[in-house]
Amino acid sequence: MATISERIKKFRRNLNLTRTLQLIWSIAPGLTIRAAIFIVLESVLWFGTLIMLKLLIDAVAAKNTAGDNYISVMLRYISIAGVISILYSCIKSISSYITEYLGAKISLHVDERIHAHTLELDLTYYERPDYLDILKRAREAGAIHPYAVVVNLFDMIRNFFMLAAVGSVLVTIDWMLMPILALFVLPILFVRVKFSDKLYEWQRRQTPLERKSSYLSNLITGDSSAKEIRAFSLGRFLLNQFTSIRNTLISEQLQLNKRRTLVEIITMVMVTSAFYAITAYIVFGTLKGETSVGDIAVFLVIFPQTFTIMQAFAGSISRMYQSNIFVANIFELFDLGSTLFKPKTPKPVPSGENLDFSIEKMYFNYPHADEPTLVDVSLKIPAGKIVALVGLNGAGKSTMIKLLCRLYDPVEGKITMGGTDIRQFDISEYRKQVSTVFQDFVRYNVPVSDCIRYGDIEGEFREADMKEAAKNSGANEFIEKFPQGYNTMMGRVFDEGHEVSTGQWQKLAIARSFYSPSQLIIFDEATSALDAKSESDLFRTFRERIGNRSALVISHRLSTVKHADYIYVMANKGVVESGTHEELISRADGVYSKLFQTHSARPVAVSE
Ligand SMILES: Nc1ncnc2c1ncn2[C@@H]1O[C@H](COP(=O)(O)OP(=O)(O)O)[C@@H](O)[C@H]1O
Ligand SMILES: [Mg+2]
């Protein structure tokens, strides 16, 4: 059990709005000021109607002493009250419009910042399920909670002004009334805060399960799994799992809500009974004394209203509190930074085409993996050379490519470009020097020309180069058959999209890497889906197709590998052999010779 002082400390910490307000201020300072002004106006006008009401009641009470004049006095009060009321309604509507506008703006920007921040984070994070939990919670919170903090903060301010207004009337009757009312709403506030904390803790606990249910939902409804789910009749099975998780989650949440509702009802009943007991006591007390009808009338109107406003005040505090703890989810994401080394003053990337790439005594562990994936790997890609990399599945080839792209940093050893450790360069400048066709490349559902120009999105679009890249990859053959040629929409996600085969998609990915102005082209099994003719055409004249650039080609096919200037063989987390094709094949008991059974008429695709 937390002690009271601990509770208060936690309450204060969770109510600390500084960071949330800084965030909101940085997004929309002008709009926030405007919204605040309108809220003050609204409160002042509301107070105005209240004053007019009191004056009117006093005028009615003083009717007998006022003489004939009272009708015109009352008419004046009524018309002023009417005008103020109309103004109040108008200002109130404008005020809600501004708040709504502010809300939309905040949600939009926070969402944008969440997306921008995830781009800053390195691939390491995607190995961590807890990061995916943080990301999910931040994205959910981004859409509603910062906005809710603002709305409730304004509500709180408005209620505070109203409370001050009615309070100033109420203290003229008895100064004790306000503290008594405050005492009444505290238990309600306490209950709500307590359940906000519980809801937050519950949500944090449940995120992995929530993510599992989203994962299942995507499998069941998503387009990339649609084929297999049907072919293997997996739908029902997955749906049952999905439903069971949803049921667990919803029933737990309902349980929590049920408890909260019950405790709230009990508290409300007690508090409201006490409130009316006090009202009765005061009314009778006042009746015994010499109080005017006007005073009693004011008391009977104002006292319950103050109670209502006080409840609304407490309500806005508790809602603001709840939203603010959920906003913490966004800051949890914002507090994560890239784990990749960042030099204070990056070295300029050398220009020119004579850049050697070299891997020196490199060790690498995937984060959270028990065993190293690469141990003492050294390899060279001299400028302008074509280097091949072969090895069984799981040997570590793709891992090495990710390190070459600087998606991870080595644990020990280094990678150099032109003799400089690549960690000394600005990361995005360095990445422009390497263009990779990944084993699991992306099928962008965009027009063909975009699909290729994504290889150099920061450079100006060069149409001739784009077509040249398509020609060099062999993609031009199918693109030119499309009625809209290079303007054709790819994929089936959007209207008039054209779906093509995996091999054709692969050719587009190859074209993308050719279009890039990089020094090094990397193919990670990039031609695995190409037909034999396309592949042999590509590699027969590979040198001309890549120009002066260097290339690192991973392939399981001998016909591809043997064109390389130099070959590395990977096994057991490192390089075990290297040499030219002739050198390697001449070692009868070497790994390379065993990988490619040269006596076979056809090249054999090696797999485990
Ligand atoms: N994201 C990852 N997290 C942890 N281990 C990984 C990850 N990706 C690959 N591995 C491990 O690293 C080893 C090498 O994988 P990879 O480099 O993809 O092999 P290859 O491309 O040679 O087939 C594999 O044994 C695999 O289990
Ligand atoms: Mg691989």
Side-chain angles (χ1 to χ4, degrees):
M1 275 301 276
T3 64
I4 294 209
S5 80
E6 274 167 356
R7 283 226 170 103
I8 292 177
K9 223 191 259 171
K10 187 169 168 194
F11 178 72
R12 284 181 46 185
R13 192 181 59 235
N14 288 341
L15 248 196
N16 184 352
L17 298 178
T18 321
R19 217 173 157 190
T20 314
L21 293 182
Q22 274 169 355
L23 176 74
I24 288 158
W25 185 256
S26 70
I27 293 170
L31 211 53
T32 312
I33 290 180
R34 246 176 290 163
I37 291 174
F38 270 85
I39 284 185
V40 173
L41 268 180
E42 198 187 319
S43 313
V44 168
L45 288 170
W46 183 84
F47 188 45
T49 52
L50 195 74
I51 300 272
M52 293 317 296
L53 188 73
K54 176 156 166 44
L55 289 176
L56 196 64
I57 292 172
D58 283 349
V60 174
K63 179 186 153 200
N64 296 336
T65 51
D68 290 346
N69 207 18
Y70 87 96
I71 290 184
S72 72
V73 170
M74 286 210 315
L75 271 180
R76 199 167 68 229
Y77 286 160
I78 288 173
S79 42
I80 295 176
V83 170
I84 294 181
S85 254
I86 290 169
L87 266 180
Y88 168 71
S89 306
C90 298
I91 295 287
K92 195 172 161 173
S93 300
I94 298 173
S95 172
S96 357
Y97 166 75
I98 293 179
T99 316
E100 243 168 56
Y101 183 26
L102 181 64
K105 203 163 168 181
I106 290 169
S107 299
L108 189 74
H109 279 255
V110 170
D111 211 31
E112 188 197 326
R113 283 194 199 181
I114 288 174
H115 282 80
H117 193 80
T118 56
L119 288 178
E120 298 281 304
L121 299 178
D122 49 274
L123 213 58
T124 316
Y125 286 101
Y126 289 85
E127 316 284 343
R128 290 172 38 182
D130 65 325
Y131 164 71
L132 300 176
D133 290 347
I134 292 173
L135 184 59
K136 177 175 167 46
R137 283 195 295 262
R139 293 185 66 173
E140 281 172 1
I144 33 175
H145 290 295
Y147 168 56
V149 168
V150 183
V151 169
N152 287 302
L153 178 68
F154 286 159
D155 247 2
M156 189 191 80
I157 297 170
R158 186 186 295 119
N159 286 319
F160 177 79
F161 279 130
M162 288 164 127
L163 209 54
V166 287
S168 66
V169 179
L170 216 54
V171 286
T172 61
I173 299 173
D174 190 337
W175 69 270
M176 276 297 284
L177 291 175
M178 284 299 279
I180 288 173
L181 279 179
L183 223 55
F184 283 160
V185 293
L186 277 181
I188 302 170
L189 187 61
F190 177 76
V191 168
R192 291 203 181 141
V193 162
K194 192 174 145 131
F195 276 95
S196 293
D197 289 343
K198 275 197 189 307
L199 186 69
Y200 179 66
E201 281 156 23
W202 178 79
Q203 193 227 26
R204 288 186 74 87
R205 260 199 326 273
Q206 296 311 329
T207 318
L209 208 54
E210 287 268 4
R211 247 178 354 95
K212 183 155 190 203
S213 88
S214 315
Y215 174 71
L216 288 168
S217 161
N218 287 342
L219 274 186
I220 296 166
T221 60
D223 61 339
S224 59
S225 49
K227 199 166 45 190
E228 277 210 20
I229 298 290
R230 282 160 184 75
F232 287 112
S233 304
L234 277 173
R236 266 286 139 200
F237 174 75
L238 296 175
L239 182 57
N240 287 343
Q241 285 191 346
F242 171 76
T243 313
S244 131
I245 294 177
R246 291 312 310 166
N247 279 341
T248 313
L249 286 170
I250 287 171
S251 71
E252 279 179 23
Q253 183 162 17
L254 286 180
Q255 198 65 27
L256 197 66
N257 289 353
K258 199 162 117 189
R259 269 180 52 211
R260 192 201 56 209
T261 311
L262 197 68
V263 177
E264 263 192 16
I265 289 176
I266 295 171
T267 328
M268 280 288 189
V269 167
M270 282 164 51
V271 163
T272 314
S273 313
F275 168 78
Y276 280 101
I278 292 271
T279 312
Y281 175 78
I282 290 173
V283 169
F284 285 118
T286 327
L287 278 181
K288 271 190 240 146
E290 304 272 296
T291 318
S292 70
V293 183
D295 273 356
I296 293 181
V298 168
F299 173 79
L300 283 179
V301 172
I302 299 242
F303 195 55
Q305 199 167 10
T306 314
F307 184 50
T308 311
I309 298 170
M310 190 98 72
Q311 277 174 318
F313 183 58
S316 48
I317 293 179
S318 64
R319 281 191 302 273
M320 190 170 73
Y321 176 91
Q322 177 160 340
S323 288
N324 201 43
I325 32 179
F326 281 96
V327 172
N329 287 332
I330 301 172
F331 294 131
E332 195 178 4
L333 176 73
F334 286 177
D335 287 341
L336 301 177
S338 171
T339 59
L340 296 176
F341 175 77
K342 224 180 198 169
K344 279 205 183 81
T345 43
K347 295 214 167 124
V349 169
S351 55
E353 290 168 349
N354 280 319
L355 291 179
D356 294 341
F357 285 80
S358 164
I359 297 178
E360 295 167 21
K361 295 188 179 311
M362 182 169 77
Y363 289 74
F364 179 69
N365 270 56
Y366 275 104
H368 311 288
D370 300 329
E371 297 220 334
T373 301
L374 298 175
V375 174
D376 197 13
V377 175
S378 295
L379 174 155
K380 274 191 169 32
I381 311 166
K385 296 287 178 205
I386 298 170
V387 174
L389 191 60
V390 296
L392 296 179
N393 294 145
K397 304 178 300 294
S398 296
T399 305
M400 196 159 83
I401 303 308
K402 287 187 240 173
L403 282 142
L404 265 169
C405 294
R406 244 205 120 190
L407 298 171
Y408 297 95
D409 278 339
V411 174
E412 262 183 64
K414 62 180 175 181
I415 299 177
T416 61
M417 179 176 76
T420 307
D421 189 329
I422 59 172
R423 282 169 289 201
Q424 296 302 328
F425 299 122
D426 173 74
I427 201 158
S428 54
E429 286 305 309
Y430 167 73
R431 284 182 183 153
K432 282 184 201 155
Q433 306 305 316
V434 181
S435 59
T436 307
V437 181
F438 290 100
Q439 211 170 350
D440 48 355
F441 61 90
V442 178
R443 301 169 185 216
Y444 295 101
N445 283 229
V446 296
V448 176
S449 56
D450 281 357
C451 215
I452 298 172
R453 79 173 284 218
Y454 281 4
D456 179 24
I457 201 62
E458 284 176 21
E460 210 159 295
F461 177 51
R462 309 173 310 269
E463 192 178 348
D465 288 357
M466 186 270 294
K467 288 190 175 159
E468 179 73 16
K471 194 162 153 248
N472 281 331
S473 72
N476 66 324
E477 286 172 18
F478 70 89
I479 296 170
E480 280 155 15
K481 285 193 191 128
F482 289 144
Q484 281 145 315
Y486 287 85
N487 295 323
T488 308
M489 174 60 93
M490 293 304 299
R492 54 193 139 75
V493 174
F494 301 107
D495 272 355
E496 295 177 19
H498 278 68
E499 185 54 291
V500 292
S501 75
T502 304
Q504 288 168 318
W505 273 112
Q506 215 165 29
K507 285 180 184 171
L508 278 181
I510 294 172
R512 187 155 58 240
S513 73
F514 283 162
Y515 180 76
S516 153
S518 63
Q519 292 298 317
L520 172 65
I521 288 184
I522 300 177
F523 277 16
D524 189 354
E525 300 187 30
T527 51
S528 58
L530 261 55
D531 60 74
K533 181 179 179 304
S534 299
E535 193 182 31
S536 91
D537 284 353
L538 179 73
F539 285 109
R540 229 177 341 99
T541 48
F542 196 50
R543 174 82 283 151
E544 291 139 46
R545 292 172 198 257
I546 64 169
N548 297 326
R549 296 186 268 192
S550 332
L552 178 64
V553 177
I554 298 176
S555 173
H556 292 308
R557 292 194 201 167
L558 181 64
S559 56
T560 304
V561 172
K562 68 179 185 191
H563 290 292
D565 298 316
Y566 204 75
I567 302 162
Y568 288 90
V569 184
M570 279 187 84
N572 300 328
K573 311 174 196 293
V575 173
V576 287
E577 278 177 15
S578 65
T580 60
H581 171 71
E582 286 71 27
E583 284 166 9
L584 291 170
I585 214 73
S586 63
R587 289 183 213 156
D589 57 346
V591 180
Y592 186 83
S593 293
K594 284 182 188 150
L595 275 177
F596 301 109
Q597 301 160 7
T598 47
H599 54 270
S600 160
R602 275 183 302 135
V604 178
V606 179
S607 59
E608 271 183 339

